[in-house]
Amino acid sequence: MKKFISMDEAMDMLHDGMTVMIPGFMGVGTPEALVDGIVKKGVKDLHIICTDTARPNIGIGKLIVNGQVKKLFASHIGTNPETGRMMNEGLVDVTLIPQGTLAERIRAGGAGLGGFLTPTGVGTVVEEGKQKLVVDGKDYLLELPLTADVALIRGSKVDRKGNIWYNAATRNFNTIMATAAKTVIVEAIELVEVGEIDPNNVMTPGIFVDYVVKGDA
Amino acid sequence: MKKFISMDEAMDMLHDGMTVMIPGFMGVGTPEALVDGIVKKGVKDLHIICTDTARPNIGIGKLIVNGQVKKLFASHIGTNPETGRMMNEGLVDVTLIPQGTLAERIRAGGAGLGGFLTPTGVGTVVEEGKQKLVVDGKDYLLELPLTADVALIRGSKVDRKGNIWYNAATRNFNTIMATAAKTVIVEAIELVEVGEIDPNNVMTPGIFVDYVVKGDA
Amino acid sequence: MDIRERIAKRVAKEFKDGDIVNLGIGLPTLVANYIEDDIEVIFQSENGFVKMGPAPSTDAVDPDIVNAGGLPVTVLPGAAFFDSAVSFGIIRGGHVDATVLGALQVDEVGNLANWMIPGKMVPGMGGAMDLVVGAKKVILAMEHTAKGRPKILRECTLPLTAKKEVNLIVTEMGVFEITPGGMILREIAPDATVEQIKAVTEADFIVADPLKMMEE
Amino acid sequence: MDIRERIAKRVAKEFKDGDIVNLGIGLPTLVANYIEDDIEVIFQSENGFVKMGPAPSTDAVDPDIVNAGGLPVTVLPGAAFFDSAVSFGIIRGGHVDATVLGALQVDEVGNLANWMIPGKMVPGMGGAMDLVVGAKKVILAMEHTAKGRPKILRECTLPLTAKKEVNLIVTEMGVFEITPGGMILREIAPDATVEQIKAVTEADFIVADPLKMMEE
């Protein structure tokens, strides 16, 4: 039922103009093999939701450098000078979002919430165009959910039912992105048998995962 | 630094009129020893936030039967006839909250959110007195965060730094309640050394926990 | 076959391989017994896990694993446990393919009342409001009448659980689909007639043509 | 001791046993080197863990563990990993006792600008906006001027990171506290005079009496 597919089959699901969520913090926790697959396939005009664009030769940075990204939603682009250059030249449309707000917007998208109130960004440019609400005398911004066509996930251990366990700091945006996209493809660093991950310690239940691809260990 | 305390010391922190969060689903995941401690101490007029009142002789049900609860926030009281009887006689003021909304309100309280928009309860009595917002043409209720003076938590395994691991279905409201109270006291079913819980599998980081009490295995 | 079994058996035919399903307590719980062998249906228990299995033998009860009714259950290989915030994120976020619930009343536009009778019974909504709003398909598994009185009404009179969320009603007399164009009787039980159904149904409904025989 | 070490060392004295602290990249990172031995300070890394330890030796680098600057670090016994939603729940929820950050500009009411210079540098705010709003105490660890020009202003001119959230400013010349009654110079470096500080500080400030000597 849970489908193990080849990299080519995974790439068949990606098309020009799609909105794609890709986790990772400076490349840590990013599914590099899937990103390489996108570079190789050459799909264009992608809308990418991620927390940062890593470096030109790492993670999501490779998609930027290769000119495949039309719109970018991220919290930080400073470590990849190419992103800033392409933004300034009008080649990439960048929306900057505070990291905690980005995480929460993705979670809201996956959890069926219509939005949430956060104090982050009040009194800054982040509040532009947003509804402001006062609760108990305190100002909050109404932030709306984010969803995607596809989420590309990286699991340290993945079983045949799609259950995922993440090691150390690789977890970051993986868990929430796996809940917020129509199609979820996980790159398994290590494939394990069902039961090898204690059901208590499963971090992304297999019900969220549509396809599994074997990545490089 | 993380304090192991006796049951008496834990009970010294509970006072009449306090708002207390207690996890558990029909008693599963409820810290029974701490509840018994409250019954023994006899504090009164408590405001209790929980998902259900279990049965008269189980979990939170014992506090109801013993007349210690003034206000109750819960999603379900049907399994404990005493709660309904005392509500009808005006002895307990009951606010019923959909279970998912209750969980999310507690999470919002612990995560610094000013509230969230949920479709649950639209068109029902749950919307009474609440602000209604339309996002993308869909109606949502604005639900506000919940916090407490004290949260009483039940950890299946707890280490000396307060890191907690929960077994099976005992997790329910424990994780979120541990984030949403000024003082967090955990009842350890099993005390373990630091490191016995893999840092990856810690479900409540010790930074949320103020005190640890040894419970009955 | 008794009435409850007939209803449960018919509901079980609604699922396809890989569906994630949440069963309410009471009659809906029976549905798990009638899933076809050649498909895998994943049961979610809203108190915090997926891949719920059958009840254990009395000597194998694990007090840490109960279903949403508080009764001992087991988990199957590939299960995963989570907390209540994640569990209701799954439910409200549309990750549950179908929920099967009982009803006190349901009406012809799909309004559902199943959580309280003012002045009589106020158990609380538990997870029902989230389930009915969040699940992709809401199926009612219920006896057609309560003590002979219609439960399928023109308009619910009891406090609602949710508005216009019900998709399918399965009773011992037939199967109704709620559509934007009205309520349609799709299937009829072998021992019922349309006239009999009309006599115990307050709501207006369209009779499908052809009207299928309800499978047993 | 160089300027940066002096600042870091002074900031380190702000913490007490059990404090949970988030250090920004650059100068703030140095603060970890000066924590007193008799207290335990728990460092949070906003990419997903608590109990961050020092950098590993080059042959012990674990590519799965980096700090918020993307550099290899270690974790100490009692550490816990979590996802970004939980991490920023910790931050925004007030569970971080203090955050230490750099600044491009800060003003006398505690407004902070440290994330962009329009037309020049737009790296993005990363987690800074959440940290400044969420942490119980916001400490700036910064050189007093930028190429001789004041950074402590009457009013920030760059886009803000957050409004009125800064509590303490530590520079190589002294320590300022932001209070509802105004900015107060609490401590002065042994090699500075109040006149020298006034000359390179645009903001108005009150001089505490007594004015303490900044500890080294």
Side-chain angles (χ1 to χ4, degrees), chain B residues 25-26 28 55 74-78 87 96-101 103-104 107 118-126 154 156 167-173 175-176, chain C residues 46-49 62-71 81-85 88 92 115-116 119-120 122-127 129-130 133 159-163:
Chain B
F25 189 95
M26 296 288 291
V28 175
R55 303 192 190 278
S75 76
H76 200 271
I77 58 171
M87 175 178 72
L96 290 167
I97 303 171
Q99 195 172 164
T101 299
E104 203 63 27
R107 181 183 179 275
T118 180
T120 303
V122 169
T124 76
V125 294
V126 169
R154 179 194 187 274
S156 304
N167 186 51
T170 66
R171 202 177 326 179
N172 54 65
F173 280 72
T175 40
I176 44 178
Chain C
E46 71 254 33
N47 51 320
F49 50 104
D62 177 345
D64 285 355
I65 312 179
V66 297
N67 67 13
L71 299 173
F81 292 102
F82 31 77
D83 69 18
S84 297
F88 281 88
R92 208 180 32 231
W115 73 282
M116 76 173 282
K120 271 197 194 164
V122 191
M125 66 293 280
M129 286 193 180
D130 301 281
V133 165
L160 296 185
T161 306
K163 276 185 90 160

Side-chain angles (χ1 to χ4, degrees), chain A residues 92-172:
Chain A
V92 181
D93 176 17
V94 178
T95 303
L96 290 167
I97 302 170
Q99 197 172 161
T101 299
L102 180 65
E104 204 62 26
R105 288 181 66 183
I106 295 165
R107 181 184 179 276
L113 301 176
F116 58 91
L117 304 184
T118 180
T120 302
V122 169
T124 76
V125 296
V126 168
E127 71 174 48
E128 275 169 24
K130 285 172 191 155
Q131 201 172 337
K132 223 158 146 182
L133 280 90
V134 179
V135 174
D136 265 348
K138 193 174 164 182
D139 286 343
Y140 293 95
L141 302 184
L142 173 61
E143 294 278 2
L144 304 182
L146 282 173
T147 56
D149 297 309
V150 177
L152 303 177
I153 301 302
R154 178 193 186 276
S156 304
K157 293 186 186 187
V158 184
D159 75 22
R160 294 180 177 277
K161 295 294 185 185
N163 290 307
I164 310 179
W165 183 90
Y166 306 98
N167 187 50
T170 66
R171 202 178 325 178
N172 54 67

Side-chain angles (χ1 to χ4, degrees), chain A residues 5-76:
Chain A
I5 59 173
S6 68
M7 182 57 72
D8 285 347
E9 287 171 308
M11 288 305 127
D12 284 347
M13 283 175 262
L14 284 158
H15 305 294
D16 292 357
M18 269 189 167
T19 298
V20 183
M21 287 181 177
I22 307 179
F25 190 95
M26 296 288 291
V28 175
T30 301
E32 290 287 348
L34 285 168
V35 170
D36 289 342
I38 301 178
V39 169
K40 193 174 154 205
K41 175 162 182 177
V43 283
K44 296 247 175 298
D45 298 331
L46 295 175
H47 294 202
I48 300 288
I49 299 172
C50 59
T51 189
D52 63 62
T53 51
R55 304 193 189 280
N57 61 338
I58 292 176
I60 297 145
K62 296 184 276 196
L63 301 178
I64 298 285
V65 170
N66 203 37
Q68 297 178 269
V69 182
K70 185 178 183 184
K71 277 179 84 78
L72 178 71
F73 300 83
S75 75
H76 200 272

Side-chain angles (χ1 to χ4, degrees), chain C residues 5-73:
Chain C
E5 277 178 44
R6 177 193 281 183
I7 296 168
K9 201 172 170 189
R10 174 59 189 84
V11 170
K13 293 192 195 304
E14 287 297 308
F15 309 134
K16 60 178 194 311
D17 192 40
D19 273 359
I20 299 151
V21 174
N22 185 297
L23 302 177
I25 57 176
L27 202 168
T29 308
L30 300 178
V31 171
N33 302 334
Y34 300 100
I35 305 296
E36 300 287 345
D37 284 341
D38 58 343
I39 64 168
E40 183 188 9
V41 170
I42 299 168
F43 292 107
Q44 194 237 14
S45 193
E46 71 254 33
N47 51 320
F49 50 104
V50 281
K51 295 232 168 193
M52 179 165 52
S57 58
T58 45
D59 58 340
V61 166
D62 177 345
D64 285 355
I65 312 179
V66 297
N67 67 13
L71 299 173
V73 288

